[in-house]
Structure formats: structure tokens, C-alpha cells
Amino acid sequence: MKIGMRPIDVITFGESMGLLYPEGVKGIGQGGSMAQSFGGAESNIAIGLARLGCSSGWFGQLGNDPIGTGILKALRGEGVDISRARQTDSGPTGLMLRQKVRGQSSVYYYRKGSAASQFKPEHIDSEYIASANILHFTGITAALSSSCLETIRHVISVCKANNVRISFDPNVRLKLWNIEDARPVLLELAESCDYFLPGYDECKLLFETDDEQIILDRLRQLPAISVIKSFNDSNVIVHQDHIYSLPFEPVDQVVDTVGAGDGFCAGFLAGIAKGWTPEEALALGGLTGALVIQAPGDWEALPTWEEVEQLRGNSVHIER
């Protein structure tokens, strides 16, 4: 099967969790009401891809509970294929609480023993993965459990056997594991991918240096096309001797930076799935990331292809 003929542009997998956050100015535990939503880097990206006109799929394991069922309904409603997602009675859907107090965001996770952390290689449908043009995952899944890391390695082997391109965002979460444990695992996974999508601060953690030249040299040694988010007010492609830098898109106002990285990844992968060059895909990623931070929400602000086309000057908005 030729890559361009595969039925699904991008498949993602990982943990999606329920999300609770205070409404109004009160913080968690201060007696105010809480709003609910959901989030997870991989499911956010699947939604972003679907909104950008790509076919996308997400799979993972959720609890057989109202939160898990609600997540699946929302993903289905966004046009994401969830045919391989699972629900189980062996663990609950994970939960995260988020607050923003005096301009500082904090996230609290309740995911130990979650359904997602019990994901195993035997839960994988190899034929489904082989149907993808690109398979995307993040380092968050590797941090959840040893069986989740085994599952990632198995998925990578399936991708390699079926010429499915691999995209990997390390998404370092130091509330899930310390950097000494994370570093060798994430660097191992970076060696296996076709597109490596770290933030610049993550590069400093992974390569144990603040020296820009050393970081660039280490990225050049990877087989992947590396895409650095937020490097000197730019997004940057590094691949062997090639470096391409694109300044951030200007924004009118920054409302919520949560989800900016997922928005960028969705835009970049959408460009690659559409057959664009990495440089063209980088511009789309920068645009989608800039749009996301101008509205609140993990995934709610992800733009549609029509919105992107208007900003690119390829269509006109008719108000009424």
C-alpha cells in the first residue's frame, strides 16, 4: 500500500482524562463551582487534525464510567475515529484539576491506576496502525507505566514493519517522572521516529545543556526531522545540515497558553499529511498554535480549516 493511499492520515494514542477547573476567580478548594471538560495531548491533536480537514484516529483505554463515555462521545462528535478505543472496568478514567491563580497555572493529576495506565501491547490492533499515514504519540504515555512503555515499543515495531511514519512529542511531565528516569527513555524513542517535536526547554532537559550549539548538534545526529517549538521566538526545523527558522505568528492577545503545543503539532502534522514540505507544515503549525492561545481551553480553541484559510488569505469570511 502506498503511503498516500492509506485511509487514515494520522492516528494518535495515549491517555485522555476528565478535566475540572474552577469557574470565576476562586481557586480549587475555595468553595467555588467547577466546570468540566477533558484533555490529553494525543486526543487534542486528533481533534485538531480533524478540524483541519484530515482524517484522524485516536485510541487508548478509558474507564467504563461517565467521564470515559463522555470523552468518546465528544471525540466522535469532532470527527475523530475511535473505533479502536477501549473501555474497561479494571480502572477509572484519569482526572486532572487545573487552576489559574494570579496568572500562574497549576495542574493536579489523579491518574495512578487509571485505565490508560493498564494499556498493554496485546490491546493493539496492528492492522489499524498499518492503515495510518502517520502515527503520533507523546512521552506522557511512556511515563504512565512499564506496560505503556512496552506498548509504545510494540507500536513502533508495527510502524517500522508497515512503513508508517512516526511522530513523537516528548511532552516532558515532571509530575509523572523525574528527568533522570525520563531522559534515557525519551532519547531512545526520539531515535525511532521520523518527526521529533520537542520544545526548546525540553531539549535543554534532555541534552543536559543550555548551549544552543550543542543542542543543535545533538538534534542533527538524530535520524528524524526535528522541529523545535519556541526557540528564540521562532519555531525551527533541524535535519542534518539543514536549519530553517520561522518567527512566531503575531497575536492580538494571549488568553490561555494551555494547548499551544498540541495546536502546533496538529497544524504541523496536518501539513505533512497534506503532502506539504516540512517548511510549509511549520508555517501551518505556527499559525494554529497562535490561534489556540487567543482563546481558553485545552482543545476547544483549535481552529478549523476554514478559519486557517481565511487567515492565509485564501477565503473570505461573510458575516451575514
Side-chain angles (χ1 to χ4, degrees):
M1 180 185 293
K2 295 180 180 178
I3 286 179
M5 297 176 63
R6 295 178 189 270
I8 303 180
D9 290 322
V10 184
I11 292 174
T12 74
F13 75 100
E15 181 168 36
S16 194
M17 296 174 290
L19 168 64
L20 297 177
Y21 56 94
E23 293 183 305
V25 297
K26 290 185 177 181
I28 296 170
Q30 296 180 353
S33 58
M34 301 281 279
Q36 63 174 314
S37 182
F38 69 94
E42 300 85 1
S43 54
N44 294 348
I45 290 170
I47 291 172
L49 285 158
R51 289 187 179 182
L52 292 171
C54 296
S55 56
S56 68
W58 173 86
F59 68 87
Q61 186 159 261
L62 300 162
N64 192 18
D65 48 44
I67 294 176
T69 300
I71 290 171
L72 292 179
K73 286 181 178 179
L75 289 172
R76 187 187 297 113
E78 289 287 339
V80 176
D81 176 54
I82 55 167
S83 61
R84 301 310 190 274
R86 298 166 49 90
Q87 286 185 277
T88 180
D89 293 318
S90 65
T93 304
L95 181 67
M96 58 179 166
L97 307 184
R98 189 173 69 228
Q99 66 177 2
K100 191 171 186 178
V101 178
R102 301 183 186 91
Q104 180 170 312
S105 294
S106 300
V107 178
Y108 304 91
Y109 296 120
Y110 299 85
R111 64 205 306 181
K112 186 174 182 180
S114 69
S117 70
Q118 300 174 38
F119 212 56
K120 299 177 181 179
E122 52 262 39
H123 296 151
I124 296 300
D125 183 335
S126 296
E127 289 188 7
Y128 183 65
I129 291 172
S131 73
N133 186 334
I134 300 167
L135 188 287
H136 176 79
F137 66 95
T138 79
I140 296 172
T141 306
L144 297 180
S145 67
S146 59
S147 70
C148 282
L149 179 55
E150 277 184 66
T151 302
I152 289 175
R153 289 171 173 150
H154 176 63
V155 167
I156 289 172
S157 69
V158 173
C159 288
K160 299 289 187 184
N162 291 278
N163 297 316
V164 175
R165 289 177 287 176
I166 300 170
S167 168
F168 171 52
D169 184 338
N171 251 339
V172 178
R173 295 289 186 268
L174 296 180
K175 285 193 173 183
L176 297 180
W177 54 356
N178 62 56
I179 191 59
E180 286 73 25
D181 291 334
R183 184 179 293 115
V185 173
L186 298 179
L187 290 176
E188 170 205 331
L189 299 177
E191 291 278 354
S192 302
C193 64
D194 298 281
Y195 302 101
F196 180 45
L197 308 172
Y200 181 56
D201 288 339
E202 292 173 325
C203 288
K204 291 191 285 188
L205 288 171
L206 292 175
F207 299 130
E208 300 181 79
T209 182
D210 292 334
D211 188 302
E212 294 181 4
Q213 192 57 52
I214 293 175
I215 289 171
L216 292 175
D217 288 343
R218 290 291 300 274
L219 291 171
R220 284 192 184 99
Q221 294 169 18
L222 294 175
I225 293 174
S226 295
V227 181
I228 314 174
K229 305 185 289 283
S230 301
F231 182 73
N232 293 334
D233 295 326
S234 299
N235 297 311
V236 179
I237 290 173
V238 181
H239 183 54
Q240 298 175 357
D241 293 331
H242 175 62
I243 295 180
Y244 176 82
S245 178
L246 190 66
F248 289 159
E249 287 280 339
V251 297
D252 295 328
Q253 59 177 341
V254 177
V255 175
D256 186 358
T257 59
V258 173
D262 296 339
F264 173 88
C265 289
F268 177 79
L269 292 174
I272 296 296
K274 292 174 187 290
W276 296 6
T277 66
E279 291 77 14
E280 291 169 334
L282 186 75
L284 181 57
L287 180 58
T288 53
L291 288 170
V292 166
I293 65 176
Q294 296 183 68
D298 268 39
W299 55 268
E300 291 85 349
L302 289 161
T304 64
W305 184 243
E306 290 73 21
E307 291 171 310
V308 168
E309 285 288 84
Q310 287 171 20
L311 289 171
R312 296 176 70 228
N314 294 331
S315 66
V316 177
H317 172 63
I318 301 174
E319 181 178 351
R320 59 175 76 180

